[in-house]
């Protein structure tokens, strides 16, 4: 690793995890990064992908892919400040969790420190939205106090859909227990609300079902002063899927439905001119979607 060029906080000096903010009308969306991994062989996530196909979409380089056809992915949460309400979307993997994926297992990321340096204490979060309940979207909801998992955002309502609660419970037992360590403690503490996938949350925040990746997957529309943003969740994982919307991601529960959802949501994003915030997009995760024949293209903001 190169020597630091200045004496800033090393977290902020690393451009890959630095705080990024975008305005949506009078609302502000901030990315808080847990981790960004570069140099991933694309087949690791997309069985139909090849390095040649990646570099064939030259607009992906260098923000989302490298010239050798490897790809980058980020795990990040978005914090929305709208109408004096602070909303956290998809709080990442978390620390100290027993996970089957080695790069998520028993980690010690400075995520809460990064949140604090972006101006957010855990107590300030009033609402936690989960696009779905995979391990990388619920982790920071709890942290370990002795041997017990306890809520982190103790002043927040945490939203769930029944379909994804069921799916998450049914997926337990393969060496990790996301429900037990990251969701049950929220219910036990009385901080959970089960909502419909199309709920209007008020404050210009509206959920839209975007199933396929998981049965109850949803995306979040943000509207303020006539401007719109869309937080994707995992209906797509990487900007290459704008150009290759039929590429399924390995964890897509229903690949056929996920493809239909991707095309529908991409068309809506292009048509509305929304600022799209890609939950796993690296380096420049926000941008606009433009139509490119029967496919799309992503222009980072
Ligand atoms: Zn997922
Ligand atoms: Zn994910």
């Amino acid at each position: 690793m190169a020597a630091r060029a200045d004496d800033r906080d090393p977290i902020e000096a690393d451009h890959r995890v630095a705080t990024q903010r975008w305005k949506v009308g009078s609302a502000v969306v901030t990315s808080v990064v847990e981790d960004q991994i570069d140099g991933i062989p694309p087949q690791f996530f997309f069985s139909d992908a090849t390095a040649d196909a990646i570099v064939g979409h030259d607009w992906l380089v260098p923000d989302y892919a490298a010239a050798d056809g490897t790809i980058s992915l980020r795990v990040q949460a978005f914090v929305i400040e709208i109408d004096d309400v602070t909303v956290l979307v998809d709080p990442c993997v978390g620390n100290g969790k027993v996970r089957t994926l080695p790069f998520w297992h028993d980690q010690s990321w400075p995520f809460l420190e990064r949140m604090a340096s972006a101006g957010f204490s855990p107590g300030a979060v009033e609402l936690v939205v989960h696009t779905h309940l995979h391990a990388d979207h619920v982790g920071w909801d709890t942290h370990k106090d002795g041997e017990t998992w306890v809520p982190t955002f103790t002043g927040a309502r945490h939203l769930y859909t029944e379909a994804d609660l069921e799916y998450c419970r049914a997926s337990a037992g393969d060496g990790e227990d996301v429900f037990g360590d990251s969701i049950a403690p929220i219910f036990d503490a009385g901080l959970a609300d089960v909502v419909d996938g199309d709920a209007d949350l008020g404050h210009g925040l509206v959920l839209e079902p975007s199933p396929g990746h998981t049965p109850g997957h949803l995306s979040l529309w943000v509207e303020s002063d006539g401007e719109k943003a869309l937080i994707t969740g995992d209906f797509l994982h990487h900007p290459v899927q704008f150009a290759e919307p039929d590429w399924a991601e390995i964890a897509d529960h229903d690949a056929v439905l996920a493809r239909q959802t991707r095309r529908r949501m991409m068309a809506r994003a292009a048509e509305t001119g929304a600022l799209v915030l890609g939950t796993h997009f690296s380096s420049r995760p926000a941008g606009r979607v433009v139509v490119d024949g029967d496919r799309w293209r992503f222009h980072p903001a």
Side-chain angles (χ1 to χ4, degrees):
M1 184 168 267
R4 280 158 57 193
D6 57 40
D7 60 359
R8 279 182 301 163
D9 184 330
I11 291 165
E12 295 183 11
D14 182 347
H15 74 278
R16 300 181 325 139
V17 296
T19 304
Q20 293 165 301
R21 286 184 211 275
W22 303 270
K23 296 267 295 177
V24 182
S26 52
V28 178
V29 183
T30 303
S31 158
V32 180
V33 181
E34 183 178 72
D35 198 14
Q36 178 168 320
I37 303 177
D38 302 317
I40 305 167
Q43 304 86 335
F44 192 89
F45 284 97
F46 307 104
S47 51
D48 293 338
T50 61
D52 283 349
I54 296 287
V55 293
H57 304 296
D58 57 355
W59 54 273
L60 293 171
V61 181
D63 293 316
Y64 313 110
D68 64 0
T70 58
I71 59 171
S72 298
L73 280 158
R74 216 185 229 193
V75 180
Q76 68 199 320
F78 292 114
V79 181
I80 307 164
E81 294 165 276
I82 188 164
D83 274 3
D84 296 325
V85 179
T86 301
V87 183
L88 177 64
V89 184
D90 284 351
C92 306
V93 175
N95 283 354
K97 303 266 159 114
V98 174
R99 296 291 178 252
T100 49
L101 283 175
F103 46 89
W104 289 353
H105 176 68
D106 196 20
Q107 289 289 345
S108 51
W109 285 295
F111 177 83
L112 293 179
E113 291 79 354
R114 286 179 191 149
M115 248 184 95
S117 68
F120 308 108
S121 67
V125 176
E126 288 152 89
L127 190 64
V128 181
V129 174
H130 306 107
T131 60
H132 63 302
L133 306 179
H134 277 156
D136 53 323
H137 297 257
V138 296
W140 284 100
D141 283 348
T142 60
H143 64 280
K144 225 169 192 179
D145 180 11
E147 285 309 300
T148 313
W149 292 105
V150 297
T152 304
F153 310 108
T154 51
R157 304 306 304 172
H158 298 61
L159 307 188
Y160 304 88
T161 63
E162 195 55 63
D164 260 25
L165 285 169
E166 246 169 62
Y167 180 66
C168 182
R169 281 193 209 99
S171 322
D174 53 355
E176 61 181 32
D177 183 7
V178 175
F179 189 86
D181 60 42
S182 300
I183 297 171
I186 306 301
F187 277 83
D188 293 346
L191 298 174
D193 290 320
V194 178
V195 296
D196 291 333
D198 60 355
D200 184 337
L201 307 179
H203 311 289
L205 302 169
V206 179
L207 305 178
E208 177 165 348
S210 45
H213 181 63
T214 63
H217 191 281
L218 53 85
S219 300
L220 176 63
W221 290 95
V222 180
E223 188 165 0
S224 173
D225 296 341
E227 290 184 30
K228 272 181 189 278
L230 172 66
I231 296 184
T232 61
D234 287 7
F235 77 73
L236 83 172
H237 284 72
H238 190 278
V240 71
Q241 288 172 292
F242 288 112
E244 303 284 357
D246 294 335
W247 283 8
E249 194 265 346
I250 44 148
D252 285 349
H253 165 70
D254 179 338
V256 173
L257 181 57
R259 267 182 204 123
Q260 291 166 2
T261 289
R262 250 190 317 277
R263 285 187 172 272
R264 174 172 62 82
M265 295 300 285
M266 288 172 183
R268 285 264 287 130
E271 180 186 295
T272 56
L275 181 73
V276 170
L277 296 137
T279 298
H280 287 304
F281 292 7
S282 56
S283 300
R284 293 166 80 194
R288 310 276 170 191
V289 179
V290 292
V291 175
D292 184 11
D294 65 343
R295 288 146 191 248
W296 297 269
R297 199 183 258 253
F298 188 63
H299 289 175

